[in-house]
Amino acid sequence: MSKSQVGFVSLGCPKALVDSEQILSELRAEGYGISPGYEGADVVVVNTCGFIDDAIAESLEAIEEALNENGKVIVTGCLGAKDPNLMQRFPNLLAVTGPHAKREVMQAIHQVSPPAHDPHIDLLPPGGIKLTPRHYAYLKISEGCNHRCTFCIIPDLRGDLVSRPVGSVIAEAEALVSAGVKELLVVSQDTSAYGIDVKYKPELLSTKMVRTHIQDLAQELGQLDAWIRMHYIYPYPHVDKLIPLMADGLILPYLDIPFQHASPSVLKAMRRPAHAEKVLDRIQKWREVCPDITLRSTFITGFPGETDEDFEILLDFLDEAQLDRVGCFAYSPVEGAQANVLDNPVDEDVKQARLATFMQHQAQISAARLQRKIGRTLDVIIDEVGENGAIGRSMADAPEIDGVVHILDENNTMQSGDIVQVQIEAADAHDLQGVLKL
């Protein structure tokens, strides 16, 4: 009996990517083949994003293309939870589910194409199926979020916080490292809230008790032979306890904290913490404990009610904070978000002008901070290898969202996944350039 083939389209954020990996792993475990295209697939799964307009448009285009090219399509992901009329818009869809719905997706696949499993040849690779390169992987530690930021609908799409058992997370991390993963990127909607929903329940692992808490988890992950990178850290007070772990080399000296703004009035309208002065004090203390720490953040310009004075406060914050890596978005209404009804919306031209000013302002800061790395020798993980060198990332660079290190090596001695030492010779606003240090 021939193996059933499933096509797969994965869109959206790293959390959605983990959902895709889990479904793909289950498919392989049940003996399904993964089709590289629409042709030859018995059914196609489209994992969608439903957060902002551009992502929704991309998801709708992917669904339409899959229907046109194959005809048998199952939709999962955030758009499936957000749009109750998706089946009406695409009546030929086989099924529609929300995010984190492996069981429902597998049930739908079983109905249209039952598995033909041969346990002697259909063995699941260690660590499961991954959509990332072999040397790094995302490790999702929880689902959902307890915050109610006015610009966000994630709790409506993914529900309140549900933390994974700490033993399960560590077991997955160990399996990934055993399979050759050199870098684990810890993700969730609010990573620092890990364990709050279960009151930091302790679990007996081997011979010791480990709490369902981000500090305990970081300490355990730090024992593995891999880079551990923390993403989406909400600035709770206990985040301060992660910094000594970075200074000791257990986890990467990298903190991804979405500050979103600096003006107290805008932060209040966003329902975000509104204490920029305390944030600046904490940043200073973090750098005292771990001088090499890299701070990444994201911001929103043009939020309803943002004045010229609010925007100047944001620029002043950038000057004071001296963040290493920064992303920014002009506010756009998200269907269902509470911010849509706030007074004093900002004109679109003003939003875009502030965005451009913000990015230009931060580019100068980022460039100056990268210039300070010239002459230093950095550890770099290799992502791509070419004829005359390679492209990698330092500890300060997460894949796809940060900069890269261009490495000259005419002898072509590096391989993807290698961690090498590179002497930095040049820098711009985003990337570094250096030579392999033998």
Side-chain angles (χ1 to χ4, degrees):
M1 186 174 179
S2 61
K3 182 186 296 186
S4 299
Q5 298 288 318
V6 178
F8 210 101
V9 178
S10 183
L11 306 173
C13 65
K15 280 85 72 179
L17 184 75
V18 173
D19 289 349
S20 296
E21 292 174 339
Q22 292 173 350
I23 295 170
L24 286 166
S25 295
E26 186 68 20
L27 286 168
R28 283 292 300 272
E30 293 190 7
Y32 286 93
I34 309 302
S35 175
Y38 297 115
E39 186 178 355
D42 298 289
V43 62
V44 175
V45 178
V46 180
N47 189 4
T48 60
C49 181
F51 188 39
I52 61 175
D53 290 345
D54 288 347
I56 292 171
E58 182 183 19
S59 294
L60 291 173
E61 289 176 5
I63 293 170
E64 187 170 9
E65 179 180 287
L67 284 170
N68 290 336
E69 296 293 331
N70 184 277
K72 296 181 180 180
V73 179
I74 296 167
V75 170
T76 187
C78 287
L79 185 60
K82 179 180 181 181
D83 189 349
N85 300 316
L86 206 58
M87 286 292 290
Q88 296 178 13
R89 181 165 185 166
F90 300 106
N92 292 328
L93 288 176
L94 299 175
V96 175
T97 80
H100 198 56
K102 180 179 70 173
R103 181 175 61 85
E104 291 85 350
V105 171
M106 293 305 300
Q107 288 175 344
I109 293 172
H110 292 162
Q111 290 180 2
V112 66
S113 182
H117 182 52
D118 184 344
H120 297 290
I121 60 174
D122 298 326
L123 301 178
L124 186 66
I129 304 298
K130 294 297 166 188
L131 301 179
T132 52
R134 184 175 180 270
H135 60 281
Y136 70 82
Y138 293 99
L139 181 67
K140 185 164 63 170
I141 64 173
S142 66
E143 274 292 337
C145 183
N146 288 342
H147 299 294
R148 295 297 183 265
C149 303
T150 56
F151 55 83
C152 183
I153 59 171
I154 291 298
D156 296 329
L157 298 177
R158 290 184 172 263
D160 289 336
L161 176 74
V162 178
S163 299
R164 291 180 57 192
V166 65
S168 171
V169 175
I170 293 172
E172 180 182 349
E174 290 173 342
L176 289 168
V177 173
S178 296
V181 169
K182 301 291 185 65
E183 178 182 12
L184 291 171
L185 300 105
V186 179
V187 296
S188 66
Q189 200 58 43
D190 180 5
T191 298
S192 44
Y194 178 64
I196 286 178
D197 56 315
V198 295
K199 299 181 180 180
Y200 305 126
K201 176 183 177 182
E203 185 174 337
L204 180 62
L205 301 181
S206 186
T207 59
K208 62 180 176 179
M209 300 297 292
V210 178
R211 293 178 302 161
T212 309
H213 188 286
I214 190 60
Q215 182 185 359
D216 286 24
L217 178 62
Q219 288 175 325
E220 293 303 311
L221 294 177
Q223 308 303 316
L224 301 176
D225 185 20
W227 285 8
I228 310 297
R229 190 181 301 275
M230 294 288 176
H231 282 287
Y232 314 126
I233 299 288
Y234 203 88
Y236 294 114
H238 65 249
V239 169
D240 295 348
K241 296 181 180 179
L242 293 177
I243 312 305
L245 302 183
M246 298 178 182
D248 292 341
L250 287 180
I251 61 177
L252 292 186
Y254 180 99
L255 211 52
D256 178 3
I257 301 185
F259 291 125
Q260 306 299 4
H261 214 281
S263 165
S265 61
V266 175
L267 289 169
K268 183 177 180 180
M270 291 178 169
R271 293 186 185 168
R272 302 283 294 183
H275 305 290
E277 297 83 3
K278 291 183 179 179
V279 167
L280 290 171
D281 289 342
R282 291 178 74 189
I283 288 174
Q284 180 179 351
K285 292 177 181 177
W286 293 342
R287 286 177 170 148
E288 290 172 358
V289 174
C290 183
D292 284 336
I293 190 171
T294 294
L295 298 178
R296 139 166 279 282
S297 190
T298 52
F299 295 87
I300 298 173
T301 61
F303 193 78
E306 182 191 60
T307 64
D308 289 341
E309 182 182 359
D310 292 325
F311 184 64
E312 287 301 320
I313 291 174
L314 177 56
L315 296 182
D316 290 342
F317 176 84
L318 293 181
D319 289 334
E320 291 287 336
Q322 291 289 298
L323 302 175
D324 300 273
R325 300 295 193 185
V326 171
C328 188
F329 306 90
Y331 172 76
S332 62
V334 176
E335 184 180 350
Q338 297 178 28
N340 297 344
V341 299
L342 294 178
D343 295 332
N344 302 316
V346 178
D347 182 79
E348 188 62 35
D349 290 341
V350 175
K351 289 182 193 176
Q352 296 301 326
R354 288 177 180 170
L355 174 62
T357 300
F358 178 101
M359 295 307 297
Q360 184 178 12
H361 196 93
Q362 176 60 37
Q364 296 175 354
I365 296 172
S366 297
R369 295 193 68 81
L370 287 179
Q371 286 290 320
R372 294 160 57 178
K373 297 186 178 183
I374 295 176
R376 293 184 57 186
T377 298
L378 304 179
D379 288 336
V380 175
I381 189 167
I382 304 302
D383 286 336
E384 302 176 26
V385 179
E387 292 183 2
N388 298 314
I391 296 175
R393 292 175 291 106
S394 72
M395 293 183 180
D397 305 309
E400 299 186 1
I401 58 174
D402 293 328
V404 298
V405 182
H406 297 275
I407 309 162
L408 300 178
D409 176 27
E410 295 182 355
N411 296 324
N412 199 21
T413 58
M414 294 172 283
Q415 295 182 355
S416 178
D418 286 349
I419 296 178
V420 300
Q421 289 195 317
V422 177
Q423 184 166 348
I424 305 302
E425 296 184 333
D428 58 25
H430 303 287
D431 303 327
L432 299 170
Q433 181 175 313
V435 294
L436 187 65
K437 190 171 182 179
L438 301 177

